[in-house]
Amino acid sequence: MEYLVGVVVVAMLVGVPAIVLWRVVRGRRDLGTSPAERATFETLHTASLAAPPLRAGLTAEGALKASRHLRELLGSPALAITDGERLLVYDGAGEHHAREAFEHAAATLRDGRTQVLAIECELLECPIRHAVVVPLTTDDRVVGSLAAYGPHASAGLVRAAQEVAGWVDSQLELAELDRSRTMLMEAEVRALRAQISPHFIYNSLTTIASFVRTDPERARELLLEFADFTRYSFRRHGEFTTLAEELRSIDRYLILERARFGDQLQVTLRIAPEVLPVAVPFLCLQPLVENAVRHGLESKDGIGRITIIAEDAGAECRISVEDDGLGMAPERLRRVLAGSEGNGVGLANVDERLRQVYGDEYGLVVETEKDAGTKVNIRLPKYHPGVSVH
C-alpha cells in the first residue's frame, strides 16, 4: 500500500485536484497523520528529484538520472525507458532482461496503448515475471515508453505506471516548450540583427544627401522610401507577413540601391499574382536580396543583374533570388549556411527560420560557384499549421 499515496500525489501533479490527496490521507488517519505526511513528502521529493533530468528531454543521460527516482515512485523491482528507436535505460533487478526491453515496448511504441506482458525467465530467484508498458507522449505523439517490471501486474501497478508516465509526459512537454522558446528567442535576436545593415543605412543616407542640392524632389522621394523601408524592417508585431508585403519592402530597398548604382543595377521581377497573399516568415526574402547586391554585385565591374521570381506550384509557392555576381566557392557556402562565416548577410538566419517553421525539407537551396553568380531557391507551402498573418 505504500506506493498508493505516491500514485495519488503524482496524479495531483498532472492535474488531479488536491482534494483527492486529502481524502486518501484522511482515510488513513487510523495509521496516524505523521507517517502519511512523511509518505506524501517523500513522494513529492522523489518526483522533484526526477524532474530536472527530464526537463532536458528524452535522452539517455536524462533517463538514467531519473530512472531510480521513477522506480521509487512506482515501487517496482525494475524499470525501463525507451525512446522511439532504442532502450535508454534499464534500472533495477533482472538486468538480463534489459536486452529484451525494447522488444517489450514495440507494440506500445507502435499503437500508443498500454500493454501488460508476461515475462518468461528460467531463473527461479528472478522477481521479473510481468511488465506494464505505457507510452510516453509529447504533442499527442508517442516518443517513447516506460515499463514497470515486477512479480505481478496488478491493477494498482497499471494505474501507477500510467500516472507516472503522465507526469513524465508533462516534463517532456515542458522540455519541448523550453527548447522551442530558446530557439525562437535566438532566431528573433538573429533576425533583428539581420533586418537592416548599417552598411546599407550609411550608403542610403549618403546617396540621399548627394541629391539634396542637385535634385531636392528626388532626395525627398528617396527619404520617404527609406523611412517606409526602415519602418517595415523594425516593426515589432507578427512573425509572418504576406509575400506581397515582403516584395513591397524589397522594392523600396532596390529603389534606394538603384539610386546609388544607377544603370549598373538592373532588376527583373516575375511574380505570379496567385502567390501574393501567401503568408511567409517576416523578412525571409529581403536579406537574400541584400546579400545579392552587397556580396554579389557591389564589387563586380560593369552591369549587375538581379532576378526575383515567385511562382505558383500547386500547394507550394516557389521563390528564387538570382544574381550574376561574384558567387562563392561551395565550401565557403557551407560555412555561411552553418553560421560560421558572417559575410553572407542573412543566409544562415533565413535558412534556420524556414526549417524551424516548415521542417528541414523547406530550407534554402543555394546554387553558386566562384565567378558564376548565385541563385537562392525557396519552397513554401501555401498553407501550414500555425502560419498566418494577424
Side-chain angles (χ1 to χ4, degrees):
M1 289 295 295
E2 186 174 341
Y3 76 86
L4 180 59
V5 174
V7 173
V8 176
V9 173
V10 172
M12 179 187 68
L13 292 176
V14 296
V16 176
I19 191 67
V20 175
L21 175 62
W22 179 81
R23 285 173 179 165
V24 171
V25 174
R26 185 183 181 195
R28 290 169 56 100
R29 280 187 176 177
D30 57 316
L31 300 178
T33 57
S34 294
E37 289 173 353
R38 281 199 300 272
T40 301
F41 171 80
E42 288 171 4
T43 301
L44 289 169
H45 180 63
T46 301
S48 71
L49 293 175
L54 295 172
R55 287 293 294 273
L58 192 57
T59 65
E61 181 181 2
L64 177 62
K65 291 179 179 179
S67 60
R68 179 171 62 86
H69 306 300
L70 296 177
R71 187 160 62 84
E72 289 179 11
L73 286 174
L74 288 168
S76 60
L79 173 141
I81 300 174
T82 76
D83 61 14
E85 300 177 352
R86 62 189 174 118
L87 175 69
L88 298 179
V89 65
Y90 182 99
D91 181 82
E95 290 185 358
H96 53 286
H97 291 292
R99 60 180 177 269
E100 306 162 353
F102 188 79
E103 183 180 343
H104 296 159
T108 295
L109 293 172
R110 186 171 56 252
D111 61 23
R113 296 181 180 179
T114 297
Q115 305 285 333
V116 179
L117 308 175
I119 307 297
E120 296 182 1
C121 185
E122 297 178 354
L123 300 178
L124 296 178
E125 68 277 12
C126 179
I128 306 304
R129 301 296 169 182
H130 289 84
V132 177
V133 188
V134 294
L136 299 176
T137 63
T138 58
D139 294 330
D140 297 323
R141 295 180 296 108
V142 177
V143 296
S145 69
L146 181 148
Y149 290 87
H152 307 288
S154 65
L157 182 60
V158 172
R159 179 61 176 165
Q162 291 174 332
E163 293 292 355
V164 170
W167 179 80
V168 172
D169 289 351
S170 69
Q171 302 307 307
L172 297 179
E173 292 275 8
L174 290 172
E176 191 69 25
L177 181 62
D178 288 345
R179 184 159 49 248
S180 298
R181 185 183 295 115
T182 299
M183 292 172 67
L184 180 60
M185 287 190 296
E186 290 175 351
E188 286 177 345
V189 170
R190 287 193 295 272
L192 180 60
R193 291 173 179 169
Q195 280 178 5
I196 185 166
S197 164
H199 179 84
F200 167 71
I201 293 176
Y202 174 80
N203 286 332
S204 295
L205 292 177
T206 300
T207 300
I208 293 169
S210 71
F211 283 103
V212 168
R213 290 189 177 182
T214 60
D215 192 344
E217 185 60 28
R218 175 70 167 149
R220 177 181 175 278
E221 291 173 356
L222 291 175
L223 194 58
L224 291 174
E225 296 289 354
F226 179 78
D228 287 340
F229 173 80
T230 53
R231 186 181 298 113
Y232 176 82
S233 297
F234 285 119
R235 76 176 197 176
R236 285 292 184 270
H237 60 281
E239 297 176 51
F240 303 99
T241 188
T242 63
L243 180 59
E245 284 294 323
E246 191 77 356
L247 290 171
R248 192 171 291 116
S249 176
I250 289 171
D251 185 56
R252 295 185 185 110
Y253 169 82
L254 290 172
I255 287 173
L256 293 163
E257 291 292 49
R258 280 196 296 265
R260 181 161 68 102
F261 287 104
D263 293 337
Q264 285 188 307
L265 176 59
Q266 296 185 2
V267 180
T268 301
L269 288 90
R270 295 208 305 270
I271 311 298
E274 296 85 356
V275 299
L276 290 175
V278 173
V280 300
F282 179 58
L283 285 179
C284 69
L285 296 183
Q286 190 275 330
L288 308 184
V289 177
E290 181 177 346
N291 189 74
V293 173
R294 182 176 175 187
H295 296 291
L297 304 178
E298 197 170 71
S299 301
K300 178 188 174 182
D301 294 329
I303 294 174
R305 296 176 177 83
I306 294 178
T307 302
I308 303 171
I309 299 174
E311 299 175 313
D312 184 6
E316 293 183 340
C317 169
R318 295 181 182 173
I319 305 168
S320 66
V321 177
E322 183 175 7
D323 68 73
D324 64 351
L326 301 180
M328 68 179 77
E331 57 270 19
R332 183 184 171 205
L333 173 62
R334 283 191 287 271
R335 293 195 301 271
V336 168
L337 289 177
S340 57
E341 184 169 333
N343 288 336
V345 176
L347 283 179
N349 174 269
V350 173
D351 182 63
E352 182 173 352
R353 285 193 290 149
L354 290 174
R355 293 176 189 275
Q356 287 177 3
V357 173
Y358 302 109
D360 285 338
E361 66 271 27
Y362 287 100
L364 296 181
V365 176
V366 184
E367 305 169 32
T368 188
E369 184 57 74
K370 192 171 177 59
D371 299 321
T374 300
K375 183 177 182 180
V376 183
N377 301 285
I378 300 176
R379 292 167 44 240
L380 297 173
K382 289 181 180 177
Y383 306 100
H384 190 79
V387 176
S388 62
V389 180
H390 298 294

